[in-house]
Amino acid sequence: MGYTDQRFNVNLSILFTELPLLERPAAAAAAGFTAVELWWPWIETPTPDQSELDALKKALEDAGTQLVGLNFYAGQLPGPDRGALSVPGEESDRFRANIEVAAGFAASVGCKALNALYGNRVDGVDPAAQDELALENLVLAARAADRIGAILLIEALNKPESPRYPLVSAPAAIEVVDKVNAATGLGNAKFLLDLYHLSMNGEDLPEVIEKYTAKTGHVQIADNPGRGAPGTGDLDLAGLLDLLKKAGYEGWVGLEYKAGDRPSAESFEWLPRPQRAAN
């Protein structure tokens, strides 16, 4: 099977970044894709002007692209931050201010998955206090997602690139997923299974897939080493996606890789054009 029979989407915060934000949906569509995902696009503010939200909505609709995943405000990303929701003070406040804005925008474009990055450990702050704050904020986010019929995603990152991020294994992220679901009773918190991050952590990927597919709400891929397109590293991504399919995963597979020195549109040779449009 390999890459056939998958529902791929393009992450417009790591691919097509050579273009302004509002031109990226059309570029993805021109490359043959009908579905896209985004990190929170307004790094400086959790509450952009409505005109900016409207302009992005129009760009997505004009291109005929469906937004299938959106990050809540996550601080400086790309940059030093890895989320805001467990960071006491101003960053936590910004995350809370963003919850209804992000959920409202997602609802306006039919996006059904919201990703909440946990945030880095802070010097001089008790990790237990950060975890308590994180759970409070994740409960608020899960309830907001539920109100629009969406899931809340919890992502494990990799320790080499995110040494201060506490969720650097599949079990660590799953533990938070379970805590949020226990606190809300909604069951809409899910695992974001990123094969690149988990491979960077040295995790047994077939075992992770076998154990956690049932709790997985979204998948992202990039090859390793290098975080490039499939085929640029050593990961058997086609085989791993087959395992996910066999384990019952039917959701989206986000292309969250770096195009390298070439234009993003040239980084998709590994995926025949007929397989790019989401079925």
Side-chain angles (χ1 to χ4, degrees):
M1 299 214 313
Y3 298 126
T4 60
D5 200 29
Q6 298 288 347
R7 298 167 70 202
F8 289 109
N9 73 84
V10 177
N11 187 305
L12 297 181
S13 299
I14 194 168
L15 285 159
F16 296 108
T17 54
E18 64 268 28
L19 299 171
L21 174 66
L22 297 182
E23 293 176 23
R24 294 177 203 169
F33 293 94
T34 55
V36 297
E37 63 182 45
L38 278 166
W39 303 342
W40 183 248
W42 299 279
I43 294 171
E44 302 303 330
T45 178
T47 54
D49 288 340
Q50 186 62 42
S51 61
E52 295 194 57
L53 297 162
D54 293 343
L56 180 55
K57 180 176 189 277
K58 184 176 188 300
L60 291 163
E61 290 172 349
D62 287 352
T65 50
Q66 175 63 51
L67 187 69
V68 299
L70 175 67
N71 283 18
F72 286 105
Y73 170 80
Q76 297 292 311
L77 183 80
D81 296 336
R82 297 290 185 272
L85 62 92
S86 69
V87 180
E90 188 182 345
E91 282 298 89
S92 169
D93 292 346
R94 285 160 77 91
F95 177 83
R96 287 193 187 193
N98 176 246
I99 290 175
E100 292 303 331
V101 178
F105 181 75
S108 78
V109 294
C111 175
K112 298 296 185 186
L114 289 158
N115 183 25
L117 283 169
Y118 202 81
N120 289 327
R121 291 301 193 208
V122 179
D123 287 338
V125 179
D126 180 0
Q130 281 197 256
D131 292 338
E132 188 178 337
L133 176 63
L135 185 58
E136 282 176 31
N137 283 335
L138 286 167
V139 164
L140 294 173
R143 288 179 177 146
D146 182 67
R147 286 195 290 275
I148 65 163
I151 58 173
L152 174 74
L153 296 169
I154 310 291
E155 183 174 9
L157 301 182
N158 75 76
K159 194 169 182 67
E161 292 173 325
S162 303
R164 301 178 69 85
Y165 190 81
L167 309 184
V168 286
S169 72
I174 291 289
E175 183 181 351
V176 174
V177 167
D178 290 344
K179 281 181 178 171
V180 175
N181 285 332
T184 65
L186 296 170
N188 70 328
K190 302 282 186 181
F191 178 41
L192 197 169
L193 193 160
D194 185 312
L195 290 166
Y196 167 73
H197 287 311
L198 300 182
S199 70
M200 283 284 287
N201 289 328
E203 294 182 70
D204 183 328
L205 299 180
E207 184 185 331
V208 167
I209 289 167
E210 185 183 343
K211 285 175 78 169
Y212 301 128
T213 294
K215 293 183 178 183
T216 296
H218 191 65
V219 169
Q220 290 173 334
I221 64 169
D223 216 331
N224 186 27
R227 200 174 184 174
T232 59
D234 304 327
L235 283 184
D236 176 18
L237 289 167
L240 292 164
L241 292 178
D242 274 353
L243 289 179
L244 273 158
K245 203 84 173 167
K246 285 172 187 151
Y249 182 72
E250 296 180 343
W252 295 98
V253 177
L255 307 181
E256 199 187 47
Y257 63 75
K258 296 175 181 175
D261 297 331
R262 55 194 172 157
S264 297
E266 294 175 13
S267 74
F268 302 113
E269 315 96 335
W270 60 276
L271 185 63
R273 194 174 178 94
Q275 291 165 32
R276 299 176 191 177
N279 42 23

